[in-house]
Amino acid sequence: MNERPWPLGAATAIGSLPGTDPVEAASIVFGELPEFPCMPELPARGVGADMIGRTAALLVDLAVEVVPSGYRVAARPGHDHRRAVDLMNWDLDAVQEAREKAGAAPPAFKIQVAGPWTLAANVELPRGHRILTDKGALRDFAASLLDGLAGHVAELKSRIGAPVVIQFDEPSLPEVLAGDLPTASGYGTVPAVPAPEARELLSTVISGAERITGQPVAVHCCAEKPPIPLLRAAGAQAIAFDFTLLKGASPAQLDEIGEALDSGTTLMLGLVPTTDPGVPVELREVVTPVFKLVDRLGFRREILAERVVPTPACGLAGATPDWMRRALTLSREAGKAFTEPPEGW
């Protein structure tokens, strides 16, 4: 696996953006995040454009359909599945066009897909139970996802000419670990998945993704208490989470962050609000809490340029177009502030 392909001080986005125009979204991402752009996700387009539908579009020899309760395994690809595939193909065309207009390939390009546990928690088997309740189906979906990613990454590399970094989105992982997901009947909850079992499947998928790309793999979890030790143990070389949720974090949580930094893990820190807070947001208030954290943990501030990638706090699908641009600009400027901190900060 290669060292981090993105340059020091690079910033990126989590993935989702407002709007329905993939050409415009790709142009904005390549313009605002030239050193580490990502594949724009536009869930406002509806079925098949959300995280689960987009990921299902990549599956090989497996298909899903939309039912009143959400996504369900289908016997064969139908309208819903074909629509998700078409949306993904339009997105590929859009990022290729943006790359060509940019004039040069970026140092790295990031894509986002649902992680194995979030996918298994949000897609039902034909009888209505979640995939994660069937270990055989769980393995089949994980293997199918890796097969699909191999083709997807190859297609992207041929169109963009840049190293591809895979980010697995795992917003449902804390619920999987805690046993908080409701059963099909709604009268109970799915049994908690033991941490070693969750780690093993994640490790299998992360190592498979590393073999596909030859690059570090990121895992994003936007929960208030992301399972950072578990993600590190599973092999994630980059961990993305909402830094703004750390206010009042316990010493144990802060120690987990310090251990991750000390181990060489990249932290993709969500620093910028995802929606317009209604008051001006300046760069200094975005980055100062990070400077204070590394000071408190006893690290030299240079570690921020080496091991931190600024991002918005989470996806920007709910933002206005103006705030979306501002959030990406602030993320980019935060990365530069980490490489050359203004005097007095």
Side-chain angles (χ1 to χ4, degrees), residues 219-292:
V219 180
H220 169 239
C221 183
C222 52
E224 185 173 349
K225 295 181 179 179
I228 292 175
L230 186 150
L231 300 180
R232 284 180 52 214
Q237 293 296 309
I239 298 174
F241 61 93
D242 184 347
F243 184 82
T244 67
L245 295 178
L246 288 182
K247 296 175 182 177
S250 67
Q253 282 181 275
L254 298 181
D255 286 344
E256 291 174 1
I257 294 172
E259 290 167 3
L261 283 172
D262 195 44
S263 71
T265 303
T266 292
L267 299 183
M268 295 181 171
L269 296 185
L271 304 179
V272 184
T274 56
T275 56
D276 190 342
V279 295
V281 178
E282 301 301 329
L283 177 61
R284 184 166 185 167
E285 64 186 277
V286 168
V287 299
T288 296
V290 191
F291 287 135
K292 289 182 176 179

Side-chain angles (χ1 to χ4, degrees), residues 55 113-122 131-132 138 141-143 145 168-170 173 176 198-206 219:
T55 304
V113 296
W117 289 109
T118 293
L119 184 65
N122 290 279
I131 288 172
L132 64 84
L138 189 60
F141 266 74
L145 177 57
F168 289 109
D169 289 326
E170 283 287 11
L173 180 57
V176 170
R199 183 181 65 244
E200 181 180 4
L201 181 66
L202 266 175
S203 180
T204 297
V205 172
I206 288 171
V219 180

Side-chain angles (χ1 to χ4, degrees), residues 30 93-104 159-160:
F30 272 78
D93 291 340
V95 296
Q96 181 178 356
E97 180 179 330
R99 148 67 179 91
E100 291 170 353
K101 288 182 178 179
R159 287 173 177 252
I160 298 177

Side-chain angles (χ1 to χ4, degrees), residues 38 67 275:
C38 66
V67 296
T275 56

Side-chain angles (χ1 to χ4, degrees), residues 63-88:
V64 301
E65 61 185 353
V66 177
V67 296
S69 55
Y71 285 98
R72 179 173 291 180
V73 177
R76 62 187 61 84
H79 172 76
D80 297 328
H81 193 93
R82 290 192 297 271
R83 184 174 192 276
V85 171
D86 287 343
L87 290 172
M88 182 66 78

Side-chain angles (χ1 to χ4, degrees), residues 4 6-11 261 266-267 290-291 294 300-310 334-341:
R4 301 169 186 86
W6 54 85
L8 297 183
L261 283 172
T266 292
L267 299 183
V290 191
F291 287 135
V294 295
R300 54 189 175 84
R301 288 190 171 185
E302 289 80 1
I303 201 170
L304 294 174
E306 298 167 2
R307 297 180 191 165
V308 171
V309 175
K336 299 312 175 189
F338 291 159
T339 58
E340 298 181 13

Side-chain angles (χ1 to χ4, degrees), residues 9 11 282-283 287 310 326 328-338:
E282 301 301 329
L283 177 61
V287 299
R326 178 63 177 153
L328 297 183
T329 298
L330 283 169
S331 298
R332 185 184 71 249
E333 292 176 347
K336 299 312 175 189
F338 291 159

Side-chain angles (χ1 to χ4, degrees), residues 175-196:
E175 294 175 292
V176 170
L177 294 168
D180 289 338
L181 292 167
T183 57
S185 67
Y187 294 112
T189 56
V190 178
V193 173

